Amino acid sequence: MNFSTSVPVIPEYDRKDLDDALLLQLYRKMLLPRLTEEKMLLLLRQGKVSKWFSGIGQEAIAVGVTAALKKDEYILPMHRNLGVFTTREIPLRRLFLQWQGKEGGFTRGRDRSFHFGSREHHIIGMISHLGPQLGVADGIALAHKLRKEPRVTAVFTGEGGTSEGDFHEALNVASVWDLPVLFCIENNGYGLSTPVREQYRCENLADRGRGYGMEAHIVDGNNILEVFTRVSELVERMRTDPRPVLVEFKTFRIRGHEEASGTKYVPQELVEYWAKRDPVVNYRKFLSDAGILSEEEDLEVRKEMISLINREYEAAARVPEVAFDPDKELNDVYRPHVAARRTPVAPGRNIRFVDAVSEGLYQSMERFDELVLMGQDIAEYGGVFKVTAGFSDRFGTDRVRNTPICESAVLSASMGLSVNHMKTVVEMQFADFISSGFNPVVNYLAKSHYRWGQHADVVIRMPCGGGVGAGPFHSQTNEAWFTKTPGLKVVYPAFPEDAKGLLATAIEDPNPVLFFEHKGLYRSLYGQVSEDYFTLPLGEAAIRREGNEVTVISYGMGVHWALEAVDECRASADVIDLRTLQPLDTAAIYRSVRKTGKVIILQEDTLFGGIAADIAALVAEHCFEYLDAPVIRVGSLETPVPFAKALEEGYLPKLRFRNALQRLMGY
Ligand SMILES: Cc1ncc(C[n+]2csc(CCOP(=O)(O)OP(=O)(O)O)c2C)c(N)n1
């Protein structure tokens, strides 16, 4: 269907049973973003704002959807949805402060434009990356559903964004879990300069809903009454009968992608056609023809709004530029959390590493009603490593939740669960597969607290590591992908007791934590672990051996290789088990190096760009005067992890480490 020929140029407004006051309210709600944008265009020309994505001509969608939702229902808007923010009555002054990057805006200069959320207004803003907000909406809706709250969550995307994998994963997850998410596609003809025929090949994007087993509709996005009444009906039904609905709003982007980029690539006849369909102009005419709005009243409303906009802009402009304070910046990366130390009373029993993980997780499920586990095959099947075996019998499949194979949407959903007051542990089936959900972890979970104060109360369990003959895609230890990213914590236990206690701490911590569990230790390593619930502190290394000649630093499986080599070489060594990589216990490292004067760092990961490199640099910077030998790093060969036994043995650093340790001792 060619939409432009299937609907009348000037929308037919059907007021249904809406009273005059509501009709006028909808007009005002569209007028405010329109006039605010006109001011922004002026400011842009005067060089007073840096970038602006215009939603002129698309106001009916943002305004109609927002007006149809209840105030405490979450909306996840995109870059052209000023109408969402103004309809939720966010003060214009705060918006101007946000756009100017000032104190009093939502991100205090840390992020720009619409990249912010406001819990008070139940708005969760986008990150630049198109896509992950769709999975976040799934998580928010899931929290409502689990608490049996009749609430809908609305999330926006452009038609360009529907080509992202996140769109497909999010629709699939919402469909399989019957989540009350209203997926709103604003089909405005172009994704930057790319026309729809180069973006997708189905006739209407609404057709995709059917493919995901989802109700879907096409709505004239330039007709405020159609948007408002259709969405109102839909969300009313979704509240009582939770399920996702896809709505494709047909509209057009009248201005350039962003103001500086122009519209040269848009055929003139399209511009002319859609100019005639201006949602504000046509609706005003409808109200005027119906005798609901006179010209004088319209002028009066506009005058009031323009003076409000000017006043609020001037007030924001008078606020000084934000000042840089490094302590403040650093302090806001993580949500402050003082971990309570819970010491076990019951004595230890000799249990396997995998049992310790499982027990820690189980006891956290008992402790936190709001904790949800998500992962592939983790419910009845118990997960591929059986860490959650039996959990679903005790806690139910709502809280021990099998997921479709959608890493990105599920990790995004964990963010949404956190927004909506839940805790989540996501099990990666293998740590390797987190690459399919990398974006939400490093860009959404990691950066939200710093950007606008929204923490991500999420633990991602990472069964990792080699030596198990599993080849390049089931053997990696990919902690360095995450230690690099501010906002994430990284935990990597080597012993059963630590696995249990650190997992409990990670779950209590409201920040995103990657929790690495070496598969090779799961069933081979036993240790004394109390049956009580207990926690162990993040950022405190453990000294596994004490000596005077050399400092050996490692974590995970490396600790066991190091201990073996130290014993074989009869080295008088401090063996430091880091236990957590972020935060890193630098004090323990420096203390030991200053005592021994020699240091060797062992990591299972390939050598270049790993945590060992940073530790070596830190030691060089902070302990140079104490060193009696070069700082040595040992890691795996710079290749993917090979499959065959002999190749994998050669790849892993165990043997090389013993030789390097001997050389260092003799230096
Ligand atoms: C993952 C990702 N790729 C590319 C971009 C750059 N980009 C920003 S907006 C945009 C076009 C988006 O088109 P659409 O989703 O249709 O929304 P519209 O801008 O038309 O409202 C592109 C390519 C991005 N922000 N994120």
Side-chain angles (χ1 to χ4, degrees):
M1 178 184 79
N2 180 348
F3 181 76
S4 58
T5 55
S6 68
V7 291
V9 178
I10 309 295
E12 282 161 12
Y13 290 103
D14 177 359
R15 65 181 290 176
K16 300 223 157 80
D17 54 359
L18 306 182
D19 61 30
D20 288 0
L22 182 53
L23 294 182
L24 273 173
Q25 224 184 66
L26 289 172
Y27 175 63
R28 288 197 180 148
K29 286 183 189 308
M30 280 202 295
L31 197 56
L32 184 56
R34 170 66 58 96
L35 296 178
T36 307
E37 278 221 39
E38 285 174 359
K39 173 79 178 176
M40 290 305 281
L41 299 187
L42 212 69
L43 293 171
L44 202 71
R45 263 175 251 135
Q46 294 167 353
K48 291 182 178 160
V49 280
S50 65
K51 203 163 185 174
W52 186 252
F53 297 95
S54 174
I56 285 182
Q58 299 179 220
E59 295 93 339
I61 303 166
V63 169
V65 170
T66 310
L69 261 65
K70 295 183 175 160
K71 282 213 157 116
D72 62 353
E73 289 180 316
Y74 282 95
I75 303 184
L76 294 88
M78 292 299 283
H79 48 293
R80 299 189 200 286
N81 297 137
L82 175 58
V84 170
F85 299 84
T86 50
T87 305
R88 280 272 159 100
E89 295 176 353
I90 293 191
L92 284 178
R93 189 175 312 191
R94 287 204 74 188
L95 290 177
F96 282 123
L97 287 168
Q98 166 63 23
W99 298 329
Q100 291 171 19
K102 289 181 174 171
E103 202 67 57
F106 291 86
T107 63
R108 303 146 115 197
R110 290 172 183 167
D111 205 344
R112 65 184 188 184
S113 61
F114 291 106
H115 298 182
F116 66 92
S118 167
R119 276 183 300 270
E120 182 194 343
H121 299 94
H122 290 82
I123 290 176
I124 306 301
M126 63 186 293
I127 65 167
S128 285
H129 294 67
L130 305 166
Q133 82 280 359
L134 296 147
V136 177
D138 283 354
I140 293 173
L142 175 60
H144 283 314
K145 195 173 168 194
L146 292 174
R147 294 196 295 261
K148 303 198 175 4
E149 296 163 349
R151 299 274 184 291
V152 164
T153 301
V155 60
F156 287 79
T157 177
E159 86 290 343
T162 67
S163 301
E164 291 280 344
D166 296 80
F167 172 81
H168 301 269
E169 291 194 13
L171 261 66
N172 189 50
V173 169
S175 187
V176 171
W177 291 352
D178 295 318
L179 301 176
V181 180
L182 183 75
F183 291 100
C184 303
I185 303 174
E186 278 186 81
N187 191 341
N188 65 7
Y190 285 83
L192 215 156
S193 74
T194 306
V196 292
R197 66 178 178 281
E198 292 177 35
Q199 194 69 251
Y200 58 85
R201 276 295 155 93
C202 49
E203 195 174 341
N204 296 295
L205 287 169
D207 297 344
R208 291 195 171 157
R210 216 170 307 132
Y212 290 103
M214 186 182 297
E215 184 181 324
H217 302 272
I218 296 175
V219 168
D220 179 356
N222 284 31
N223 179 341
I224 180 69
L225 294 189
E226 189 179 335
V227 174
F228 178 72
T229 54
R230 296 280 299 276
V231 171
S232 297
E233 282 161 23
L234 287 172
V235 294
E236 196 52 48
R237 284 191 281 126
M238 289 164 70
R239 288 184 192 116
T240 49
D241 174 18
R243 72 214 140 80
V245 173
L246 177 68
V247 180
E248 179 182 5
F249 295 99
K250 302 281 192 183
T251 187
F252 198 70
R253 199 195 67 209
I254 284 289
R255 303 191 64 85
H257 168 65
E258 45 102 10
E259 276 310 317
S261 64
T263 53
K264 271 201 188 120
Y265 47 84
V266 181
Q268 192 52 29
E269 63 270 23
L270 267 182
V271 177
E272 283 164 15
Y273 172 82
W274 284 95
K276 285 188 221 137
R277 306 200 80 245
D278 184 306
V280 178
V281 173
N282 289 331
Y283 187 56
R284 182 179 55 205
K285 182 163 185 318
F286 160 73
L287 292 177
S288 152
D289 291 350
I292 300 167
L293 177 72
S294 70
E295 198 166 335
E296 297 74 52
E297 283 163 338
D298 184 34
L299 281 174
E300 193 54 35
V301 173
R302 283 166 181 267
K303 222 169 85 190
E304 265 172 38
M305 273 185 195
I306 289 170
S307 86
L308 171 79
I309 293 165
N310 287 335
R311 208 168 51 237
E312 295 298 281
Y313 169 73
E314 294 303 335
R318 280 194 296 274
V319 172
E321 295 295 326
V322 72
F324 174 64
D325 172 351
D327 292 334
K328 197 166 160 197
E329 294 305 293
L330 289 168
N331 284 341
D332 282 348
V333 174
Y334 297 94
R335 178 169 162 157
H337 171 68
V338 183
R341 261 196 201 218
R342 300 176 211 283
T343 319
V345 178
R349 308 135 304 144
N350 201 33
I351 62 171
R352 298 176 302 179
F353 192 97
V354 69
D355 303 322
V357 173
S358 181
E359 204 171 88
L361 197 56
Y362 192 93
Q363 290 176 352
S364 294
M365 285 292 278
E366 289 180 320
R367 199 174 186 89
F368 299 106
D369 288 340
E370 71 276 27
L371 175 60
V372 174
L373 309 185
M374 300 199 289
Q376 291 155 26
D377 311 286
I378 65 163
E380 295 84 352
Y381 188 71
V384 293
F385 296 104
K386 303 295 170 203
V387 168
T388 53
F391 278 41
S392 62
D393 294 338
R394 164 71 174 81
F395 302 107
T397 48
D398 266 355
R399 288 184 64 205
V400 184
R401 186 161 275 274
N402 277 340
T403 71
I405 307 167
C406 298
E407 285 80 5
S408 189
V410 168
L411 287 162
S412 301
S414 73
M415 181 76 222
L417 282 162
S418 187
V419 165
N420 210 353
H421 316 296
M422 307 284 285
K423 279 180 170 298
T424 313
V425 175
V426 182
E427 175 178 299
M428 286 291 110
Q429 200 154 68
F430 287 83
D432 310 68
F433 300 139
I434 200 162
S435 48
S436 296
F438 195 65
N439 184 32
V441 178
V442 299
N443 285 317
Y444 219 128
L445 274 61
K447 297 180 178 35
S448 290
H449 191 269
Y450 172 74
R451 292 168 53 244
W452 63 278
Q454 173 58 59
H455 65 285
D457 195 344
V458 179
V459 174
I460 307 170
R461 293 190 35 244
M462 303 277 281
C464 65
V468 288
F473 307 113
H474 288 77
S475 306
Q476 294 171 88
T477 178
N478 43 13
E479 65 279 5
W481 297 357
F482 304 100
T483 47
K484 169 84 203 86
T485 303
L488 301 175
K489 296 189 179 183
V490 179
V491 179
Y492 206 140
F495 290 92
E497 187 190 17
D498 286 353
K500 180 173 170 182
L502 289 170
L503 181 58
T505 309
I507 293 170
E508 285 195 16
D509 195 311
N511 293 289
V513 182
L514 286 116
F515 192 86
F516 286 82
E517 303 164 11
H518 201 290
K519 308 187 292 279
L521 299 176
Y522 269 158
R523 288 175 165 75
S524 67
L525 184 71
Y526 285 70
Q528 293 291 317
V529 183
S530 170
E531 66 183 11
D532 291 350
Y533 175 87
F534 65 93
T535 59
L536 290 168
L538 304 190
E540 278 187 29
I543 310 297
R544 302 292 176 194
R545 289 273 192 288
E546 280 194 68
N548 295 311
E549 280 181 56
V550 61
T551 298
V552 179
I553 301 169
S554 194
Y555 54 97
M557 183 62 97
V559 175
H560 301 281
W561 295 333
L563 288 171
E564 213 180 300
V566 163
D567 290 347
E568 277 174 22
C569 302
R570 295 206 170 77
S572 170
D574 269 356
V575 177
I576 299 180
D577 170 3
L578 292 171
R579 304 202 289 187
T580 69
L581 306 180
Q582 172 55 256
L584 184 67
D585 189 353
T586 48
I589 295 171
Y590 301 158
R591 220 173 15 248
S592 174
V593 175
R594 284 170 186 158
K595 179 179 70 173
T596 64
K598 290 181 180 176
V599 59
I600 181 165
I601 310 147
L602 168 62
Q603 68 183 26
E604 179 179 331
D605 191 12
T606 50
L607 197 57
F608 191 83
I611 193 88
D614 269 294
I615 294 172
L618 286 167
V619 167
E621 280 170 29
H622 295 273
C623 309
F624 181 73
E625 295 85 356
Y626 298 84
L627 288 174
D628 297 325
V631 178
I632 305 295
R633 296 168 303 142
V634 183
S636 284
L637 211 60
E638 303 289 341
T639 69
V641 190
F643 161 61
K645 199 169 174 12
L647 299 188
E648 193 180 19
E649 264 175 24
Y651 159 87
L652 289 170
K654 188 176 170 181
L655 287 178
R656 281 192 296 283
F657 174 73
R658 187 164 6 123
N659 297 338
L661 177 65
Q662 269 170 337
R663 274 200 306 278
L664 180 62
M665 282 164 38
Y667 185 89

